[in-house]
Amino acid sequence: MTILATEQLNGTAVRGRRDTVRNKRRLLNAAGELLREDPQNASMPAIAEKAQLSVATAYRYFPTIEELHSAYLHSVLVNLRDYTLLSPLHGTALFEDVIDRWVKLLETYGPAMIQVRSKEGFLTRLHANDEVIKTVHEAWERPIREVLRELGVPESRFDFALMLYNAMFDPREVNDMLHNRGELSKDEAIHTLVQAYYGALKGMTAV
C-alpha cells in the first residue's frame, strides 16, 4: 500500500470518528429536548427526525431507545463527575458544593432525566458495574467518603451512604421539591435536604 493510500484511509477513519461523535451528540441533544418537551412521544423515529438523521442511523448508534436514554443520563453524570474531580474543596464543603452543581444540572436537565428510570435497584446496579451507576460512584465517592470521615461514620458504610444519597437526591425528588418548597427559598430547601442527609448518616453510627 502506498503512503498516499495509507493517508487517505487514515483521513477517512478520522472523518468517520468525527461523524460518529457529531451524530451521537445530535441524537443525545434531540433526546433531551423531546424528553423535556414531549416525553410521551420521544420515540426513536421522533428523536432521529429532530436530530435530522435517518432512523437507521439512530439505531446504528443506539440499538434500543433504552440505550439512548442511558447514554443521555450518563452524559449529564459525566459532567458532574468531572466537576467533582476538579474541585479543590474537602469535607462537607466539598459535598455541598457538588450538591449545588447537581441542583444546577437538574434545573436544566432534570425534566428529561426523570423520564429515564431503571427497573433494578441501586445497589444491584452498583454491584453489577452498571455504567450509569459507576459514573454516579465516581462523581460522589470523594465527597461522600470525606463527609463520612468528618461526621465520624465508618467508611464501611459507604455503599449505603451512596444509596441513601441516590434516594434523597434523585432527580424526580429534587425537581419535585424545587417546585413545591412552600415558603422556603431554593437555598433553604436544599440546605434542609442536605442536613437531613447528614442526620441520616449519623444514624448509621448506631448500627
Side-chain angles (χ1 to χ4, degrees), residues 9-189:
L9 285 175
N10 288 340
T12 299
V14 169
R15 287 195 298 274
R17 288 194 294 272
R18 288 175 178 169
D19 287 345
T20 295
V21 170
R22 183 183 67 250
N23 290 340
K24 282 187 173 181
R25 185 181 299 117
R26 287 166 64 178
L27 287 165
L28 291 173
N29 289 340
E33 288 182 31
L34 281 174
L35 286 170
R36 287 193 299 271
E37 300 166 1
D38 189 14
Q40 299 305 315
N41 294 307
S43 63
M44 190 68 87
I47 291 170
E49 181 180 2
K50 194 169 189 65
Q52 297 183 323
L53 296 169
S54 71
V55 177
T57 297
Y59 276 118
R60 184 166 70 248
Y61 294 124
F62 301 103
T64 67
I65 190 71
E66 289 77 18
E67 289 185 47
L68 176 54
H69 287 172
S70 181
Y72 176 79
L73 177 58
H74 183 251
S75 69
V76 178
L77 293 171
V78 165
N79 182 299
L80 182 72
R81 180 199 64 193
D82 293 348
Y83 180 86
T84 300
L85 294 176
L86 292 173
S87 175
L89 301 176
H90 297 280
T92 54
L94 170 63
F95 181 82
E96 290 166 24
D97 182 56
V98 179
I99 285 292
D100 182 66
R101 176 68 172 184
W102 179 233
V103 171
K104 288 177 180 176
L105 287 172
L106 291 183
E107 288 177 325
T108 300
Y109 303 107
M113 293 173 68
I114 63 176
Q115 306 296 329
V116 184
R117 297 177 68 87
S118 172
K119 296 179 181 179
E120 294 183 313
F122 181 84
L123 289 178
T124 296
R125 297 173 70 197
L126 176 66
H127 297 153
N129 208 31
D130 176 278
E131 184 179 34
V132 169
I133 302 305
K134 179 182 177 181
T135 308
V136 172
H137 183 284
E138 292 170 348
W140 287 101
E141 181 171 19
R142 186 165 73 95
I144 290 178
R145 287 194 186 280
E146 292 204 13
V147 165
L148 293 178
R149 285 195 291 270
E150 190 168 315
L151 298 181
V153 180
E155 287 203 35
S156 60
R157 302 283 193 266
F158 172 76
D159 279 5
F160 289 99
L162 182 61
M163 179 188 68
L164 182 62
Y165 150 77
N166 186 70
M168 293 183 67
F169 294 92
D170 178 271
R172 187 184 303 270
E173 307 308 331
V174 173
N175 186 67
D176 189 46
M177 182 191 69
L178 291 176
H179 290 88
N180 297 279
R181 60 178 186 265
E183 297 180 354
L184 295 177
S185 67
K186 182 183 76 173
D187 288 344
E188 289 171 336

